Amino acid sequence: MNARLAPGAGPAEVDAALLGHGEEHGLGAFLASRGAQSHLVSSRALRESLPADPTGAFTWSAGLAEVPATARTIHVDSADAELALWQEAGARFPGCRVLGLRHHLLPMLSTDRQPLKQVPAGWRADELRRYVIACPARSGSTLLGQLLTQAGLGRPKEHLRNGLAAALRSPGVDRTEAWRQVAWRAQVDGIFGSKLVAEFLLAAAGSGTVGERLAELAPEGVRVVALRRPLLETAVSRFVARGADQWHVRGAMSTAERARFATTHYDFKALHALLARNRAENLALESALARIPPARVFNVDYAELDARPIRTLEAVAAFLGETPELPGIRLDKLPIKISGQVDTHARLAERFLDDLRAHGESLEA
């Protein structure tokens, strides 16, 4: 490979998910905020896809030969050969800090968003006690994750979202290295927890399968907590949350929040599309979980988690081989079950089931 030019990305197309336009911590916004001593080596397509630069922003070139002498930080991007480009840039510019967009910046943005912190070169992720929560969307992962956080068992969050999923599906990315970067930044007191939501596992699969990605992100030594919730409940919950533009409520629901959820309008077509999407994601996740040895998987039912959160936490902690710090639990700070506060979910679910039957369909179809 001639790394003088940044390969990959195609001449006129850039994965929009990679840039995260409109997201508070998207790659596009991050690069646009860099100072004049930062330099980007990438395809012209990626450069032209970035937001407009502020005054004195980073410089850019399509290859390493054009990196200016004033550069102190070099960001490199290549969909199919970023590691090689990163290594060549490091050898060529030993006085500069060199970071790969997909291997370093996106893991940083998905975790602590601290670009000055560097992951030690020899650090190994298997030095940590590690677990992941694998689940469909709207199945209680936020509640379980915050219970584990309050109990001192890591800080599991959705590190795998659009930007990181786009990086992981890039053909030239060393996914083990990218996930190592995430684990070092996200670990708390020697514990690394993360959430792998089916939607983003599917997005990260790329030319592989969800099972292959789950096996890479949860290799031997990583425990898997599998959350499950009935398909209809997840589809309706997703529909209502999207309509209200609010995904979680903590403590007592306010009058304004109650009104926002209560006024969600029924839409059979949209609900039907979400049902199909959720079904496909669930099937992909179940197929992926079947590839993990049963001894490394602990199944949690959403209804049990909602009804008995502390008992569920204790069971999960026992599976992880950890002791939860129960005095740290603050139930009033945890997300509540929205469908238990308004009748919108039950009302829409009942109407949707009637319409499915009228169309000759069922939840099993």
Side-chain angles (χ1 to χ4, degrees):
M1 180 201 74
N2 177 8
R4 288 171 59 83
L5 295 180
E13 216 168 296
V14 174
D15 191 333
L18 191 76
L19 299 171
H21 289 336
E23 296 181 12
E24 182 182 359
H25 304 295
L27 179 62
F30 173 80
L31 287 173
S33 71
R34 295 300 85 191
Q37 290 185 322
S38 289
H39 184 81
L40 172 65
V41 179
S42 74
S43 67
R44 182 174 293 277
L46 184 134
R47 174 67 188 89
E48 293 177 349
S49 298
L50 295 175
D53 300 335
T55 302
F58 63 89
T59 54
W60 169 84
S61 67
L64 297 177
E66 295 79 27
V67 175
T70 54
R72 293 292 176 267
T73 301
I74 301 173
H75 308 293
V76 300
D77 172 67
S78 169
D80 52 17
E82 185 174 282
L83 273 182
L85 185 63
W86 173 71
Q87 290 167 350
E88 182 176 345
R92 192 164 179 169
F93 304 98
C96 295
R97 187 178 182 201
V98 183
L99 300 170
L101 264 64
R102 299 159 199 262
H103 289 88
H104 305 103
L105 294 188
L106 283 165
M108 178 270 294
L109 290 170
S110 73
T111 51
D112 60 4
R113 300 186 291 278
Q114 297 294 326
L116 298 181
K117 289 171 60 177
Q118 298 192 60
V119 179
W123 180 81
R124 295 163 53 94
D126 58 14
E127 296 175 7
L128 302 173
R129 289 115 70 197
R130 297 169 292 165
Y131 67 88
V132 296
I133 300 169
C135 60
R138 310 300 294 166
S139 58
S141 66
T142 299
L143 171 58
L144 179 57
Q146 292 187 11
L147 276 166
L148 288 161
T149 298
Q150 289 185 1
L153 304 181
R155 191 176 294 136
K157 294 183 178 180
E158 279 184 53
H159 304 117
L160 181 63
R161 291 188 65 83
N162 291 321
L164 190 59
L168 292 176
R169 65 173 173 258
S170 302
V173 165
D174 181 335
R175 290 178 286 274
T176 299
E177 171 59 23
W179 203 240
R180 185 184 79 93
Q181 296 274 329
V182 171
W184 184 84
R185 291 177 173 276
Q187 67 87 23
V188 179
D189 296 330
I191 301 177
F192 169 55
S194 191
K195 296 196 296 184
L196 302 177
V197 179
E199 173 185 1
F200 297 109
L201 269 173
L202 201 61
S207 59
T209 67
V210 173
E212 289 169 343
R213 283 299 168 272
L214 181 60
E216 289 170 350
L217 303 181
E220 186 176 354
V222 177
R223 306 212 171 203
V224 180
V225 179
L227 264 174
R228 291 180 172 83
R229 188 181 185 185
L231 176 62
L232 179 64
E233 290 185 23
T234 60
V236 173
S237 177
R238 208 167 176 177
F239 175 79
V240 174
R242 181 181 295 174
D245 193 26
Q246 184 170 342
W247 298 88
H248 303 290
V249 173
R250 290 169 178 78
M253 183 178 285
S254 70
T255 301
E257 287 173 328
R258 191 176 299 278
R260 192 153 53 241
F261 287 107
T263 56
T264 301
H265 297 291
Y266 178 77
D267 184 332
F268 175 79
K269 185 176 180 180
L271 267 168
H272 194 268
L274 270 178
L275 184 70
R277 181 174 175 178
N278 279 26
R279 180 184 285 113
E281 291 170 358
N282 288 6
L283 288 173
L285 179 60
E286 290 302 323
S287 175
L289 287 168
R291 297 179 57 157
I292 304 294
R296 285 207 288 123
V297 180
F298 184 74
N299 297 305
V300 175
D301 180 69
Y302 172 82
E304 177 69 15
L305 171 64
D306 175 61
R308 286 169 279 276
I310 302 301
R311 183 186 299 178
T312 303
L313 168 66
E314 291 176 321
V316 171
F319 166 70
L320 298 177
E322 303 286 348
T323 301
E325 299 172 6
L326 296 182
I329 302 299
R330 290 286 306 277
L331 294 177
D332 60 318
K333 300 295 183 181
L334 297 172
I336 63 174
K337 184 178 181 181
I338 297 172
S339 59
Q341 303 295 310
V342 292
D343 68 354
T344 310
H345 298 72
R347 177 168 45 82
L348 296 186
E350 184 178 359
R351 183 174 174 183
F352 184 47
L353 280 173
D354 287 343
D355 283 352
L356 282 175
R357 295 188 192 100
H359 284 79
E361 298 182 43
S362 70
L363 289 177
E364 289 71 35

